[in-house]
Amino acid sequence: MTFTKTNNREYSRRFPNVWDNIFNDFDRAFGQPAVTSNIPANVVETEEAFHLELSAPGRNKDLFTLNLEEGLLTIGYTEPKATEEKTALKFVRKEFGVKSFKRSFSLDDKVDADNIQAKYEDGLLKILLPKKAIVKPQTKQITVL
């Protein structure tokens, strides 16, 4: 079975990846890692908590940062600067790469900020945002004398 990708846009044949190359070269030229915010996320609400999952394969779990400040949860990952190693390999094309990212989520008053938990497994950063216990008003039966 053969997979074929076609692109019918005329300019793409004349200028392949021009915009991608310009922005990537700009970041490399100034020594700044490219920080993106396009890491895909899923949010699921259950009765007990919100479950937040970020797809971030190939990362080191010790380099994630989670900060909560004034109801804003900021999740970041900063890739350390790679040291250039002498290698006999000559890449013709290199698409693998891990970039730094930062995403922010606004939390409402329902979230119990003291019990937020996070774990990284199988390329997913899973964050548990438990809801605060709702105090239901107690009903009391009053007898008439």
Side-chain angles (χ1 to χ4, degrees), residues 67-143:
N67 296 320
L68 180 62
E69 185 175 337
E70 297 180 12
L72 187 68
L73 176 65
T74 303
I75 304 161
Y77 181 85
T78 304
E79 183 67 24
K81 291 185 178 180
T83 58
E84 299 259 345
E85 294 181 13
K86 299 290 181 181
T87 180
L89 299 176
K90 179 182 175 187
F91 287 98
V92 175
R93 183 177 183 111
K94 187 175 181 181
E95 293 183 354
F96 285 4
V98 177
K99 294 183 179 180
S100 300
F101 70 86
K102 187 178 279 190
R103 288 250 355 221
S104 296
F105 298 90
S106 297
L107 303 181
D108 60 6
D109 296 334
K110 296 178 188 177
V111 175
D112 183 6
D114 295 331
N115 294 318
I116 295 176
Q117 300 173 6
K119 67 179 177 178
Y120 181 69
E121 63 182 11
D122 298 331
L124 290 177
L125 178 62
K126 298 178 180 182
I127 302 168
L128 177 68
L129 304 165
K131 293 181 181 179
K132 292 179 182 175
I134 299 173
V135 179
K136 295 181 182 177
Q138 295 179 345
T139 57
K140 182 178 178 183
Q141 185 68 28
I142 301 172
T143 58

Side-chain angles (χ1 to χ4, degrees), residues 1-19:
M1 177 184 271
T2 303
F3 292 99
T4 305
K5 180 179 178 184
T6 60
N7 192 343
N8 294 329
R9 293 181 287 181
E10 185 64 31
Y11 67 87
S12 67
R13 284 183 279 224
R14 285 185 265 152
F15 304 107
N17 300 324
V18 171
W19 293 112

